[in-house]
Every structure is written in structure tokens, then in C-alpha cells.
Amino acid sequence: MIEQYGWSDPLGQAFAPYARAGQTPGRILVQQRGAYLVASDDGELRAKPSGRLLHQAREAGHPAVGDWVALTVNRAEATATIHAVLPRRTAFVRRAADSLQTPQVVAANIDVAFVVTSMNADLNPRRIERYLAAAWQSGARPVVVLTKADLCAEPEVQAAQIAAVAAGCPVLVVSARQGLGMDLLLAQVGPGETCVLIGSSGVGKSTLVNALSGAERMATQEIREADARGRHTTSHRELVPLPGGGLILDTPGMRELGLIDADDGLGVVFDDIERLAEDCRFNDCGHGGEPGCAVRGALESGDLDAGRWEHFQKLGREVAAVDRKEDRAAKDAERRRLIALQKTHRSSKKVRRDD
Ligand code: GDP
Ligand code: ZN
């Protein structure tokens, strides 16, 4: 049962101390007002955090959908108590406007973040950049998905435009309406891996979730079941298995991530890097080998991940480049560049998908 939800050997090792304490592993399918639905080897269980975990949650935050947890199980009632949350590999975090508040984890242990934008929307590089950065920040692998290909005569041209701001991420072209490219999406999510869709409202995320996870989810979504005490609780699942052994996580909180203004730019999602740079000796430090560079220092000590730094730089450059293209002449030149790029993109697509 839990293998279906992505249980793995490393998780088993992390769980060993809890297993010795007689606890059972589970993964959170739904969170609803302090109560949870958890998948376990004893089936789906309604679970509540222990008093101790609730107390810790004041500082560490609450368990979230996608979390792996340690449970004690009441089999007769199909209920459980959550005692601990296993370390998260990745997390999407919503930061409250008041940054002193505990950051709230919206979704945990996500491997792939599909950044969804649609063919009929205006190309908004800043918005794509923002979603890409949010994906990168979470620790998940970003993959750009261009939806509604059926509405576009030359989807490849748009794909090339987006590839130009996507800093090396794969760019997939799909149409849920025509059932086009669904296999490409599924191929990005390995067995036991979990994906999410992020992107602005109306780009086709719900349609894609339904197309990917099948009609089953739709049918179960609104069903209400009585629990052991006869009360009614919603029983939809926000973590759903996909064909091919992957999972899709679709929780309302992820949609709200999209409400943050794209114009906040890189600083908000890469604020750790911005803060680091404030510690550089020189105000105008280019982080290229200047003495007293805090960014270089963090890279050398491993406090700053090299891939993350590279991505930050790439995104910064590309966004700045797009911002500069205000006048018409520059736009014409850009169009010619994109057509050339489109040719390269076409011939190198197979290679790109693997990097
Ligand atoms: P969300 O807000 O991102 O979840 O977007 P929805 O999935 O609700 O889709 C928004 C609108 O786009 C709906 O009217 C869908 O029918 C439409 N839509 C979704 N996918 C496609 C597609 O592949 N082709 C076309 N033409 N329309 C689509
Ligand atoms: Zn520096």
C-alpha cells in the first residue's frame, strides 16, 4: 500500500527509530481543519496529531499534504495518531505577509513541479520566472508546460519563446482537449515520484489534473462518508496515484501560491541569496572573486547549493534581458533570434529533456 505512495529505502532508514517504537509509516492525503486522511499499510486512516506534535507545531508548523508521518493505529476504528513528521525532501512554503509568522508548508515531498502556462495567454516572462523560482525554491524539478496547443497555429514558436526564459528547464507542449502530450507529462514523473501543477488561474491546471489522474478522482471528490462516530467528513484525496507509478498532489493551497504578485521578482523567492549578498564586503560585489564575498564563501562551505546559485544567476540575466527589450527594433531582433533558437530547440529537444 505505501509503496504505491512512494515509500522507498531511504524513507525506511529514516523511519527505523519510529519502527522500533512500534509506529507505522503513513503519507498524508488530505489535511482538513486539524484532521488528516493518511495512507498506510492498514489502509486509509483518519488521523489527528498527538498533543506533543501539536505543541511542537507552534514553532515547526503543522504536518502537510505529502508528508510522511509516524503513526500509532487503531485498526478497529481505522483511526490513527500522528506522532512525528519525517524530514521533508522538498516543500512548497507559503510565507505570510508578516514574515515573523511560522512559514506554512503547503505541500511536502514534491519531486516535479509543472509550471503551467497557456498558449492563449500573453507571454509573461516575469510570471514564468516567478513560478520557476518558486519551484526551484521548493527543491522540486521544474518542468514548463504550455497548455491549449489546440488554440495555437504554431505552438513551436511559443515554446521557443518560453524556452528562452526557462533557463534550461524542459518545455512541454500539451492539449488536454485533444489528449495531446499527456504521455510526455507522465514520462516526467518517475515511479514513486510526486508532481504538482502551479500557474495562474485559467491556464488549464484542473483540466490537466483530471486528464492525468482519470475520472476516478472526479467521482470521489465530492462524496461524503460517515466516520466511525457517524459524523460526516469529506473524503476527497489531494494526493492521487497516476498511471505509471507516479502521484499528483492537488491541494487548494497550491493555487494560492499563484496569487503572489509576479512583479515581486527574484528577491522574494531567492531571499536567502539576497540576504547573503548583503554580507559581501563591497556593496556592488559581483560575486566573481572579490575579497570578502559572502556568496562565494557560502558556495565554498556548501551553505549555498551551486545549482541553485547558477539558476538564480541564469534567471536574473534572462529576466533583465527581457526587461530591456522595450523598443520595437529590439523586439524585431528578438523575433529573429527566437526563430533561430526555435531551430536549435527543435534539433536539440531530445538532449534537453534529459538535462
Ligand atoms: P485552472 O484555473 O488553471 O485550473 O484552469 P482550468 O482547468 O479550469 O481551465 C480553464 C479553461 O481552459 C476551461 O474553460 C477549460 O475548458 C479550458 N481548457 C483547459 N485545457 C484546455 C485545452 O487543452 N484546450 C482548450 N482549448 N481549452 C482548454
Ligand atoms: Zn559577493
Side-chain angles (χ1 to χ4, degrees), residues 277 280-282 285-288 290 292-296:
C280 294
R281 186 177 305 163
F282 302 114
C285 184
H287 320 303
E290 289 91 338
C293 172
V295 171
R296 286 287 141 202

Side-chain angles (χ1 to χ4, degrees), residues 29-60:
L29 302 178
V30 181
Q31 174 189 11
Q32 226 160 37
R33 287 186 227 94
Y36 296 87
L37 188 67
V38 177
S40 77
D41 281 336
D42 293 299
E44 289 181 2
L45 309 167
R46 301 197 181 277
K48 291 232 160 117
S50 68
R52 187 150 159 258
L53 189 63
L54 272 181
H55 187 74
Q56 290 169 352
R58 273 181 229 158
E59 272 174 22

Side-chain angles (χ1 to χ4, degrees), residues 7-20 68 70 85-88:
W7 185 249
S8 62
D9 289 344
L11 280 168
Q13 277 154 29
F15 195 78
Y18 302 103
R20 280 196 290 277
W68 285 100
V85 177
L86 264 62
R88 297 167 173 129

